[in-house]
Amino acid sequence: MNLQDLGPSPTQAPPVTAFERGMALFDATPPNYESAVRCFTAAADAGSGDGLAMLGLCQLEGLGMPADPVQARAVLKQAAGRRSALGRFQLGRVLMTGRGGEADEAAGLTAYVAAAAMGHAEATFNLANCLFAGVGCIPDRLAAKSLYLRARALGCPLRPRGVLVKRSELKAVAALAQRFADPNRMFFLVQERQQELALAAALPRPVQDAEGEASPRTLRHAGRLAAGVVAAVAGTLGQFLRPSSRDAGPTKLDF
């Protein structure tokens, strides 16, 4: 019997790609950035979006090759176009910080959303940071807490400081975290909640008359508009428009 006919041994390691070789060299102690760059270049030439993303990161930081933030930004944009979660995450970072060009927080947020939808843990964490602080968006702390929870489930080792889920928020945060786990709904959910928050913020304040009282016509108009807003946001933001129960304070579900 020819032993070659039996196929590969069960313990035989699978073939290592150029990208995997590059990552091993990049993460080695000490790292070999020059050799890693050659591997990433080979991977990118073979069509790897992640290889192109790592090549852009090395060029951004000057690891194993001369630093060129402008060119690195262009490379990361190409990697994002290849549907690389890593490329979209790194593109979000340069857009947020303005490396290699003007800062564009809104575009950076979009890049984070795209990477988070692909299950990138650090992008999910950074997206939560943006929503919590209102960077490139309207602050949405309920969604931020849900995404912090999602990032932890994805294995992100980072933890926000001083962020706790209140007992009154438990159900909403858990429900949102479950909805954010659907990659097909991530972008829609973030966009939907931003639109609802903008609509709620656009509610007009009653115009006061000379005696400091709102006119009946203005109150009726504001009332009709408020009723429409309540109906529009009853799904995801309705809890903010209803009297809330007494807050019991922080719970064990922290981050």
Side-chain angles (χ1 to χ4, degrees):
M1 179 185 295
N2 189 344
L3 293 179
Q4 293 182 348
D5 295 336
L6 297 177
S9 169
T11 59
Q12 182 176 339
V16 178
T17 65
F19 174 74
E20 291 171 335
R21 288 196 299 272
M23 289 305 302
L25 292 164
F26 188 89
D27 294 331
T29 305
N32 187 338
Y33 294 128
E34 290 80 6
S35 296
V37 165
R38 288 193 290 270
C39 292
F40 294 145
T41 301
D45 291 343
S48 170
D50 287 346
L52 191 61
M54 286 303 299
L55 188 62
L57 177 61
C58 288
Q59 192 169 32
L60 180 69
E61 304 295 346
L63 302 174
M65 62 191 307
D68 187 342
V70 175
Q71 180 61 26
R73 184 165 171 160
V75 170
L76 291 173
K77 187 174 182 178
Q78 293 177 24
R82 292 188 186 182
R83 297 185 57 81
S84 164
L86 177 61
R88 291 173 176 180
F89 168 61
Q90 295 295 345
L91 178 63
R93 290 180 63 237
V94 299
L95 289 169
M96 284 288 182
T97 57
R99 299 188 67 182
E102 294 184 2
D104 189 338
E105 292 179 350
L109 185 82
T110 299
Y112 282 154
V113 173
M118 299 178 71
H120 194 284
E122 285 74 19
T124 304
F125 183 86
N126 280 15
L127 174 59
N129 283 340
C130 291
L131 288 171
F132 195 86
V135 178
C137 60
I138 300 172
D140 186 353
R141 294 195 170 185
L142 195 68
K145 292 177 182 181
S146 301
L147 287 167
Y148 283 133
L149 193 63
R150 171 70 179 153
R152 184 173 65 180
L154 291 170
C156 180
L158 303 174
R159 297 288 185 270
R161 294 183 178 180
V163 178
L164 298 173
V165 177
K166 300 175 183 177
R167 187 177 300 278
S168 59
E169 298 173 330
L170 279 173
K171 289 184 178 180
V173 167
L176 271 177
Q178 187 174 11
R179 295 177 71 191
F180 279 130
D182 183 350
N184 297 319
R185 291 184 60 83
M186 172 72 75
F187 183 82
F188 170 77
L189 284 174
V190 173
Q191 184 182 50
E192 177 189 51
R193 291 182 61 82
Q194 286 293 299
Q195 291 173 347
E196 291 169 348
L197 287 167
L199 184 61
L203 283 174
R205 295 181 178 180
V207 178
Q208 295 181 342
D209 57 21
E211 298 180 357
E213 296 182 357
S215 66
R217 182 179 178 181
T218 301
L219 288 174
R220 286 195 299 271
H221 174 72
R224 286 194 296 269
L225 183 56
V229 171
V230 170
V233 303
T236 55
L237 293 182
Q239 66 271 18
F240 294 118
L241 302 175
R242 294 192 296 269
S244 58
S245 59
R246 182 178 179 182
D247 187 10
T251 72
K252 293 182 179 179
L253 180 59
D254 58 19
F255 300 99

